Amino acid sequence: MPEMRFDITWPDGMAERCYSPSLVIKDHFAPGESYAVSDFLVRARTALREASARVEARYGFPCSLALGQLARLEQRAGAFAQGDAARIHVTAFIE
């Protein structure tokens, strides 16, 4: 199963490299695009849960790395929940 990384920049300017066990991230995000924090989280939940489900279908267990990545994104995004203008920028896909 092809895994990938994707780079994001948080609203405070901090960069982060994220993990997905599947290329499904490409179906939900585009490099160079910015997303409102709430929209980013909806997309990330959908993509990373789908990626984890693909691992489970293939290997018989969900991907703990994908679910852990989602938990980290949700936790970090909580700092920006109050700002409607806060956006997360997807800077690159790394395959």
Side-chain angles (χ1 to χ4, degrees), residues 3-44:
E3 62 182 29
M4 68 176 292
R5 306 286 190 283
F6 57 105
D7 290 344
I8 63 171
T9 304
W10 290 97
D12 63 1
M14 179 179 252
E16 183 173 345
R17 179 157 289 170
C18 302
Y19 171 80
S20 172
S22 165
L23 301 179
V24 71
I25 291 296
K26 292 180 172 186
D27 295 340
H28 300 277
F29 295 109
E33 292 294 319
S34 292
Y35 303 89
V37 173
S38 60
D39 182 35
F40 178 87
L41 285 177
V42 167
R43 291 168 182 264

Side-chain angles (χ1 to χ4, degrees), residues 39-55:
D39 182 35
F40 178 87
L41 285 177
V42 167
R43 291 168 182 264
R45 283 181 192 116
T46 301
L48 290 168
R49 286 176 181 160
E50 184 177 332
S52 179
R54 288 181 180 192
V55 170

